[in-house]
Amino acid sequence: MVSCCIAVMCVCESAEESELLTVPDGWKEPGFTKDDNPRGLLEESSFATLFPKYREAYLKECWPLVEKALGETHIKASLDLIEGSMTVCTTKKTFDPYAIVRARDLIKLLARSVPFEQAVRILQDDMACDIIKIGALVRNRERFVKRRQRLIGPKGSTLKALELLTNCYVMVQGNTVSALGPYGGLKEVRKVVMDTMKNIHPIYNIKTLMIKRELSKDPELRVQSWERFLPKFRHKNLAKRKEPKKKSMKKEYTPFPPPQPESKVDKELATGEFFLRESVKKRKKMEEIKVKQAEALTKKQEERNRAFIPPKEKPLMKKTTKAPTESKLDIEAIKDKVKKAKTKKLGAPPVNPAPPTSTTTEKKKKKKS
């Protein structure tokens, strides 16, 4: 009896633990209010970020809206147009310690060309942002531009599909990709962006995201593994590496230095020219020069004579005339035709036609065919 009671108690405890681990649908974490931190913050925190020159006009226009949005959380914001920087800092009334981090993310997104209407969503509790640096992932500039354009897609279709599947706002600007949305969506956006820069087309990741979204709707499949449903794409590198025309073969390593090349004196000593007189040496040199000149003259003469050599003519092809085929005349058929013509002219009664010969029937068959 005791063992049965212990087993029942264990089952109940495990059931309670599983219930505690699962988050109910539609549950939201309660917001952080002033009652949670009535005394405020002890120290003042501040963050600053620079912005490019082309963003100056837009930031100057929308800065009152930024100050108003940050004023709700008691955070002070300042814009320095001379230095080209934005600064946010806490005040004595600030009660939320994480509000300064959200304000820092807000000015970062504004500096990366994200519009204020989208960037202000970062102040919500269930929102986060991720700025992905893609400038150093590809060395070749042309290849980098092509892959970045592949991420955007024709008329921004690929980027729009990614936004719909991840519930995130994605902004591709220069060497960075700014993403704003829930934590799960940001993780997927980062994976897609990094894979695109590694020469994996974003359509493959978009397809897997579409399948995952359909599978998540089924409550029975939430606990099971989705590997059997997800497609497996193999990376095929079809383009072979171009091999160099001249392959340099590495020589075997030897600790000894290469032998010293022979000097002009060493060569003369080896041949015996060193011991000859000056007059004999000059005579030999002159002879060598004359031989070289004679060879050059003969080559030039041969090149000149080539123009006078007539080209080889092609032999004329004789036209082969086909012998005319002997036309075989059928005498009996001609006789029949003459008889018929005579009877028609004289007005005599028609004579019973003679049975056709084998040759006439053969000719008629040939004509029909």
Side-chain angles (χ1 to χ4, degrees), residues 336 351-356:
D336 291 335
V351 185
N352 292 328

Side-chain angles (χ1 to χ4, degrees), residues 15 66 68 73 77 96 126 144 151 171 179 198 220 296 312 319 361:
V66 175
K68 188 182 176 182
T73 53
D96 189 358
D126 58 342
F144 166 74
L151 181 64
M171 180 73 181
K198 290 174 184 174
E220 292 179 1
K312 290 181 180 179
K319 291 181 181 179
T361 53

Side-chain angles (χ1 to χ4, degrees), residues 57-316:
Y58 180 79
L59 290 171
K60 195 177 179 180
E61 188 181 342
C62 73
W63 195 251
L65 298 169
V66 175
E67 286 180 336
K68 188 182 176 182
L70 293 173
E72 293 174 3
T73 53
H74 305 289
I75 287 172
K76 188 183 175 183
S78 60
L79 177 69
D80 191 353
L81 295 172
I82 298 163
E83 193 182 343
S85 65
M86 293 179 283
T87 311
V88 286
C89 60
T90 56
T91 58
K92 290 179 181 180
K93 292 182 180 180
T94 308
F95 60 89
D96 189 358
Y98 199 73
I100 188 66
V101 180
R102 291 202 188 100
R104 179 202 64 183
D105 292 340
L106 174 64
I107 59 172
K108 271 187 179 181
L109 290 168
L110 288 169
R112 294 315 309 152
S113 299
V114 177
F116 172 76
E117 292 79 12
Q118 294 291 340
V120 78
R121 288 167 58 203
I122 196 67
L123 300 175
Q124 298 172 14
D125 288 336
D126 58 342
M127 285 288 164
C129 74
D130 190 10
I131 295 167
I132 307 155
K133 293 178 181 179
I134 57 171
L137 296 174
V138 184
R139 289 182 181 179
N140 193 356
R141 185 68 187 172
E142 289 178 5
R143 200 174 291 167
F144 166 74
V145 171
K146 278 182 183 177
R147 289 180 190 178
R148 187 180 61 183
Q149 187 59 36
R150 197 182 293 165
L151 181 64
I152 297 163
K155 297 180 182 179
S157 58
T158 309
L159 205 64
K160 190 70 181 173
L162 189 63
E163 286 177 355
L164 291 167
L165 289 166
T166 57
N167 298 320
C168 294
Y169 174 79
V170 186
M171 180 73 181
V172 181
Q173 177 69 22
N175 293 334
T176 57
V177 177
S178 306
L180 174 72
Y183 291 98
L186 291 174
K187 192 178 176 182
E188 295 293 341
V189 169
R190 179 172 271 275
K191 185 180 179 297
V192 172
V193 170
M194 297 300 281
D195 284 351
T196 306
M197 288 294 122
K198 290 174 184 174
N199 202 20
I200 297 167
H201 205 280
I203 197 70
Y204 299 133
N205 288 313
I206 286 166
K207 194 173 182 180
T208 53
L209 287 170
M210 287 171 73
I211 294 163
K212 281 179 181 178
R213 190 175 67 171
E214 293 297 321
L215 292 169
S216 63
K217 292 176 183 177
D218 193 352
E220 292 179 1
L221 292 167
R222 284 185 181 179
V223 190
Q224 297 177 14
S225 178
W226 292 350
E227 285 184 5
R228 56 200 171 117
F229 301 109
L230 298 175
K232 292 176 182 178
F233 301 106
R234 292 179 181 177
H235 183 68
K236 292 179 180 178
N237 190 11
L238 298 173
K240 291 182 180 179
R241 184 179 169 272
K242 289 182 179 178
E243 293 182 356
K245 289 181 179 178
K246 292 179 180 178
K247 290 183 179 180
S248 58
M249 297 295 288
K250 287 186 177 180
K251 294 177 182 178
E252 292 181 3
Y253 173 74
T254 53
F256 306 105
Q260 194 175 358
E262 290 183 352
S263 64
K264 194 178 179 181
V265 178
D266 292 335
K267 289 176 182 177
E268 286 180 354
L269 285 166
T271 54
E273 290 179 8
F274 183 78
F275 304 104
L276 294 172
R277 292 178 186 176
E278 287 288 330
S279 58
V280 178
K281 285 181 183 179
K282 282 181 182 180
R283 200 186 304 153
K284 272 195 172 184
K285 278 184 183 179
M286 288 299 291
E287 284 175 0
E288 286 174 4
I289 290 163
K290 283 178 182 179
V291 169
K292 285 180 182 178
Q293 284 176 352
E295 285 176 0
L297 279 167
T298 51
K299 281 182 181 179
K300 279 186 180 180
Q301 197 66 34
E302 283 175 3
E303 285 176 5
R304 286 172 188 170
N305 292 335
R306 276 176 196 170
F308 300 103
I309 297 166
K312 290 181 180 179
E313 293 181 0
K314 292 179 181 178
L316 292 167

Side-chain angles (χ1 to χ4, degrees), residues 312-329:
K312 290 181 180 179
E313 293 181 0
K314 292 179 181 178
L316 292 167
M317 297 293 288
K318 291 180 181 179
K319 291 181 181 179
T320 54
T321 53
K322 290 181 180 179
T325 53
E326 292 178 0
S327 57
K328 294 178 181 179
L329 297 169

